[in-house]
Amino acid sequence: MLGKNRLIFPGEKVLLAWSGGPSSSSMVWQVVEGLSQHSAKRLRFVPGVVYVDEGAACGQSLEDRAKTLAEVKQVLHTVGFPWHVVSLEEVLGLPPSVLRYCPREPAGTEGTYKAAVDNFLQQQHALETQGAEDSCGPAWGQEEQCWPQSQDPHEPLSPAGFPPAAQTEALCRLFESVRTLTAKEELLQTLRSHLILHVARAHGYSKVMTGDSCTRLAIKLMTNLALGRGAFLAWDTGFSDERHGDVVVVRPMRDHTLKEVAFYNRLFAVPSVFTPAVDTKAPEKASIHRLMEAFVLRLQVQFPSTVSTVYRTSEKLVKAPREGCAGGPEGPRCLLCLCTLDIDTADSATAFGAQTSTFSQMPPSALQAESGMPAAPCHTVGPGCCWKACGREDDRQTQVIQQLCYSCRANMKDLPSMDPLPPYILAEAQLRSQRAWVMQEIQEYLIEDSGDEAETTQS
């Protein structure tokens, strides 16, 4: 899969998102085998592993989380890659810049990829001729010999420690305030992706590998259709996801079914760590995710080509915005999923247009009454007050809702108040609102100025 797509160049730093489950464990183990000296098709990138501790969101006690982290540490020591263990509570301290698109360097051509491979092979041959196989030099091929066996000492969380109790309580309040399990799963996935993106950017990784299998992607495609994310299916289920710009998410396990992964892990004794999820032991109809999973797997039992058929459909999806939509890196993006918004006018005959029309016709006071939020005073007093930008005294509900895609808007309806959201989301929402208001004021000024010049010319 990696050789066919040629997205990862020799020497590139790649972060492996490991959850402890079967698919991601199989992915990490295959990378270990591909980087070994005896591999027939040897991988040439520099790997790292990230593990996100989601115990607080799943209601685990500190004792259970400590046991899980001990198992995680043991497996990571066995793998031998540089690793980063972070807790989900750390999203409360992320900077607002994690929600911004960062342009990346232009993608290399096929000739560039071949030249990089040739350069790597030449350096490796030069090291072998000089007898430096056992040295720990800067060459790409020898990176695995000098990898650290423990976490970076500058990491905010060590496997033996936990974040402050205040952050754990704040995260628990956030998930307890969400009404439905569907919205909880979407929120957890969003916060996890933001945290992994921050780790990748902070440590210089340009690619992130996830362990999404063919079966999981088929379920995800059907689930996202039901959630109203049809416009973003190509990014959510494709081999590569370039929505962040400088960090590209790749899914090299998308050709393997869960059954194949289970056989591989059994035959090669691949270690894994079981961690309860937010939907563990939930009934079949508790959420859209659980319902779609049961639906697809039940069909797969009766009709064995179900998963492969849905998977082949996802391969035909094209990553392109609709005509007349504000796309590209400069277009508006969803505040949570970071996908480029398909902006419709308020009177368009689409679900997004109907929602936009509804929110635009409702005053901020009505939005507050509908959500149960009291009117909050503006935090900025004096000439710097941003009441026009943020909408009637820092109306966070309006700020956040207006900057979400259709699916994220539907999920945020299950969150009565925006106050429990992480500070970086609220800060970025306010910044975008202020920027939009300033741009609108500048446009109005330019229009008035051009009108005054026209009247002067006529007179």
Side-chain angles (χ1 to χ4, degrees):
M1 178 63 73
L2 296 177
K4 180 176 65 176
N5 290 274
R6 295 188 174 182
L7 284 180
I8 300 178
F9 280 56
E12 204 168 9
K13 295 187 68 176
V14 179
L15 185 64
L16 310 178
W18 179 59
S19 64
S23 295
S24 60
S25 298
S26 175
M27 176 189 69
V28 172
W29 207 255
Q30 291 185 56
V31 172
V32 172
E33 293 296 324
L35 288 170
S36 65
Q37 298 285 347
H38 307 289
S39 176
K41 295 183 178 180
R42 188 178 176 187
L43 300 177
R44 303 181 179 97
F45 55 82
V46 181
V49 182
V50 60
Y51 175 82
V52 180
D53 176 22
E54 304 171 359
C58 302
Q60 279 188 295
S61 63
L62 291 180
E63 292 77 10
D64 293 338
R65 295 176 64 182
K67 292 179 182 178
T68 302
L69 287 178
E71 296 180 17
V72 167
K73 180 179 179 181
Q74 184 178 3
V75 174
L76 291 176
H77 275 296
T78 302
V79 171
F81 295 158
W83 45 272
H84 317 276
V85 174
V86 293
S87 67
L88 193 63
E89 292 93 322
E90 293 183 31
V91 298
L92 300 175
L94 292 184
S97 59
V98 74
L99 300 177
R100 298 167 194 165
Y101 179 90
C102 297
R104 59 170 177 161
E105 298 179 359
T109 60
E110 184 175 354
T112 307
Y113 181 85
K114 291 182 178 179
V117 173
D118 293 339
N119 187 24
F120 168 81
L121 294 177
Q122 290 177 3
Q123 290 192 9
Q124 190 179 35
H125 180 68
L127 286 176
E128 291 177 354
T129 56
Q130 294 174 6
E133 294 86 351
D134 297 331
S135 65
C136 190
W140 293 333
Q142 303 297 325
E143 284 287 343
E144 63 268 26
Q145 296 182 5
C146 56
W147 285 330
Q149 298 299 313
S150 61
Q151 191 179 10
D152 188 348
H154 300 290
E155 284 292 317
L157 175 70
S158 64
F162 294 100
Q167 290 187 353
T168 304
E169 293 176 0
L171 187 69
C172 292
R173 284 196 303 269
L174 171 61
F175 280 90
E176 289 174 358
S177 63
V178 181
R179 296 192 184 103
T180 63
L181 182 59
T182 299
K184 283 184 180 180
E185 293 189 47
E186 286 295 305
L187 179 62
L188 178 59
Q189 180 180 346
T190 299
L191 297 181
R192 183 198 304 125
S193 64
H194 292 174
L195 188 56
I196 293 177
L197 175 63
H198 176 70
V199 172
R201 286 176 173 173
H203 294 87
Y205 293 96
S206 57
K207 299 290 190 303
V208 174
M209 278 189 184
T210 62
D212 296 319
S213 64
C214 173
T215 307
R216 187 57 54 190
L217 289 177
I219 297 172
K220 189 174 184 179
L221 185 143
M222 301 297 295
T223 303
N224 287 4
L225 281 175
L227 292 174
R229 295 189 57 81
F232 314 125
L233 288 179
W235 285 269
D236 293 338
T237 62
F239 173 77
S240 61
D241 182 359
E242 304 89 358
R243 75 181 71 181
H244 308 299
D246 56 338
V247 177
V248 179
V249 179
V250 294
R251 304 178 179 94
M253 296 290 294
R254 66 191 311 265
D255 274 350
H256 302 292
T257 63
L258 284 178
K259 189 174 183 179
E260 293 171 342
V261 170
F263 275 115
Y264 178 87
N265 292 351
R266 175 72 175 179
L267 293 174
F268 292 92
V270 176
S272 60
V273 178
F274 171 77
T275 54
V278 70
D279 62 342
T280 300
K281 296 184 179 181
E284 181 177 306
K285 299 181 181 179
S287 67
I288 295 178
H289 304 78
R290 293 283 292 111
L291 185 62
M292 281 297 176
E293 179 180 6
F295 172 72
V296 172
L297 294 181
R298 191 178 295 116
L299 275 180
Q300 177 68 12
V301 172
Q302 300 175 359
F303 307 97
S305 61
T306 299
V307 169
S308 60
T309 301
V310 177
Y311 169 76
R312 286 196 300 269
T313 302
S314 67
E315 289 185 324
K316 302 175 183 178
L317 300 174
V318 180
K319 298 177 182 178
R322 299 199 314 264
E323 294 183 1
C325 297
E330 301 300 329
R333 293 179 174 270
C334 178
L335 189 64
L336 295 181
C337 68
L338 308 181
C339 286
T340 303
L341 290 178
D342 285 335
I343 302 299
D344 291 332
T345 57
D347 57 348
S348 64
T350 63
F352 192 96
Q355 266 195 354
T356 305
S357 176
T358 302
F359 281 109
S360 62
Q361 293 174 6
M362 293 176 62
S365 58
L367 284 172
Q368 289 175 344
E370 186 183 64
S371 61
M373 284 182 57
C378 184
H379 297 295
T380 307
V381 182
C385 179
C386 58
W387 64 273
K388 284 187 178 181
C390 53
R392 196 177 184 269
E393 298 183 353
D394 194 22
D395 185 5
R396 291 180 176 178
Q397 186 85 1
T398 307
Q399 282 182 355
V400 176
I401 290 295
Q402 289 181 347
Q403 301 176 36
L404 301 179
C405 63
Y406 172 77
S407 176
C408 293
R409 286 189 181 191
N411 291 324
M412 283 297 103
K413 289 182 179 179
D414 295 323
L415 186 64
S417 173
M418 298 296 166
D419 291 336
L421 285 176
Y424 73 97
I425 295 179
L426 301 177
E428 181 66 15
Q430 183 174 357
L431 181 62
R432 292 185 184 184
S433 298
Q434 292 176 354
R435 187 183 295 115
W437 175 73
V438 170
M439 294 300 297
Q440 183 179 358
E441 290 290 320
I442 293 175
Q443 291 178 0
E444 292 179 357
Y445 173 79
L446 294 177
I447 293 175
E448 292 178 0
D449 188 53
S450 60
D452 294 340
E453 290 181 358
E455 291 179 359
T456 304
T457 304
Q458 290 178 359
S459 61

